[in-house]
Amino acid sequence: MMKPQLNLTHNSFLTRRSYAIIGAGAIGGFYGACLQKAGFDVHFLFNSDYQYVCQHGLVIESPNGDFNLASVQAYHDANQMPRCDVVIVALKTTNNYLLPQILPQVLKDDGVVLVLQNGWGMEEEIAQIVGSDRLIGGICFTFNYKLGAGHIRHLDYGLITLADYAPGYAAKGVTTRLCQIAADFSVAQVMIQLHEDLFLARWQKLICNIPFNGLSVILNSAIEELIANPDVRTSIEQLMAEIVAVASTYGRHIPEVYIQKRIKQTATMKHYQTSMKVDFDQGRSLEVEAIFGNPLRKAWQAGVQMPQVSMLYRQLKFFNAQNQNRFAEISVSQ
Amino acid sequence: MMKPQLNLTHNSFLTRRSYAIIGAGAIGGFYGACLQKAGFDVHFLFNSDYQYVCQHGLVIESPNGDFNLASVQAYHDANQMPRCDVVIVALKTTNNYLLPQILPQVLKDDGVVLVLQNGWGMEEEIAQIVGSDRLIGGICFTFNYKLGAGHIRHLDYGLITLADYAPGYAAKGVTTRLCQIAADFSVAQVMIQLHEDLFLARWQKLICNIPFNGLSVILNSAIEELIANPDVRTSIEQLMAEIVAVASTYGRHIPEVYIQKRIKQTATMKHYQTSMKVDFDQGRSLEVEAIFGNPLRKAWQAGVQMPQVSMLYRQLKFFNAQNQNRFAEISVSQ
């Protein structure tokens, strides 16, 4: 295994940071590969692709330029990994129950966890494991998928919005460590946006995640079909309005122009299947709690109902349970 | 064609009423057959079953006793029908656009129209055709389906709730003509319940129609699966609560005990597919406007939103449009 050339010092966080990628799928694998290509010391925790990647490395297709990493520092067991300065959590949130076993093994004492997941409340949960002063939230706006073992296609976009975490999701502003990590990603040719308020950043992303992920599964359709239908379009806008209302209750303002921009932008994505629809069609467990359940409970805490999000949540839970049973039956019968 | 023996006088409404069945399917055909068997003069307007029924009559299977009508007065064209004392409208509401051509042909000057359909607002629409003093609403609580041409199975229940119509759905109380028609059905062994307030009677039925019809289609499931799932059960109760709130805005009280009774009763129906699910699976147009759109617009008139009913309505419209396209394609390709 060829190791990338690196200059590591003792207090490496102040100089050249090392990265651990927990969940090296289409998102984690892609960003990790970009960091390694730029010369960073990156350690990838793989699941099913582990053996393949050990032998063949990673192949990345991207409009920014295709590249291969003939050798990567791949692991199947977190206990084998070194402690790193930045631990990127890029698992599906449905696997976050594994983190109490993993994070204490791979996070340096002065390291930070960067949570690259969709949904709400992950930082608060992970703070229980690593402490509340060691978390940064990252919201990816990218269109990636896996073509096969060790083979990732980055089709479009790629932006990560970074925001620092404080207990209760109080706005923490732009911190030094945020700038340092942003600089690393910039070196790796990844577009970065800094956000002063992780709460607002996450609820802005929910504006898209909730309607499009939810309705694409329930209505068994691609995004363009949903947006083209005037009734579904109305439902999308009403779901978004419920999210805006909750954010507003917590003092965060999401302007109408933001919503219209997101809808317009999404409408240009031809034949685009949401990640939740892809998960559903492939029989994987849906991220129902992170994307729907946690935001709902946050709304209820403030005495706000989100009735349409609530109905979508319950419909998804029903489908998810049915889907898991169906795929379990298929597995048994094979 | 053998005609049943009848005593008709000039003012027949006061004595032995004649009946026209507009839409002689699983519901209309069944109740019409019961009336004919009891000796009433019944005229059936058939669609696709017309030729078959002319040759073979009707076969009814029922827990109250199977019976055949070797000969029925069947029509394919309303212009050929005699004017009748009571015209029973038992079409799918999606075919109500045909009524302006039909009703003036078949309704006696002193006759009444009995609307045996699910949903809201049909009487108000039909009043535009025949006048607002000539309408009675009927709400069927029965479990019927067609086994084939001229072959109807009545599986369970059978009750009709009758209520007289007044403009704006003002409660009209129990009228003489209501009692007369109830008496006819009683002679025909059909269970009848009289209701003083058609508004309340129809919204009580919506309590079941909206959640069960809607969710069975969207979640592709039988009623027992819906009720057994705690999340769907919660959605059902929340949808019902929205309906109760609108009825309440219009001064109609639907008690909680009524709702719990309906859920309990529905939970006992094993393997029951709702009529909307059966329509969907067979590629027929769904009664989305009568059961969802019209109640929603009634709510909006009063400034009430029904957000969950609204989402279900738009989901159903999307599925309905897709379904119609799909079945149109199947027809073309055959």
Side-chain angles (χ1 to χ4, degrees), chain B residues 235-306:
Chain B
S235 286
I236 289 167
E237 289 174 359
Q238 290 181 354
L239 287 161
M240 289 176 167
E242 289 187 355
I243 299 160
V244 168
V246 174
S248 168
T249 303
Y250 284 101
R252 269 71 174 196
H253 177 58
I254 303 176
E256 179 61 25
V257 63
Y258 178 88
I259 292 182
Q260 291 310 325
K261 202 172 152 189
R262 286 291 85 75
I263 293 180
K264 208 168 163 186
Q265 187 178 45
T266 310
T268 64
M269 295 177 169
K270 288 275 167 206
H271 311 299
Y272 179 61
Q273 299 287 359
T274 65
S275 59
M276 189 170 273
K277 180 74 165 71
V278 173
D279 283 344
F280 185 76
D281 290 342
Q282 299 185 357
R284 286 194 294 262
S285 188
L286 306 183
E287 297 187 274
V288 178
E289 294 308 326
I291 298 179
F292 292 81
N294 291 347
L296 266 170
R297 286 180 280 273
K298 191 70 184 171
W300 295 339
Q301 266 180 33
V304 182
Q305 288 306 316
M306 296 213 282

Side-chain angles (χ1 to χ4, degrees), chain A residues 124-140:
Chain A
E124 208 159 40
E125 281 171 34
I126 296 172
Q128 310 277 330
I129 308 167
V130 300
S132 61
D133 56 345
R134 308 176 70 195
L135 280 156
I136 288 176
I139 295 121
C140 302

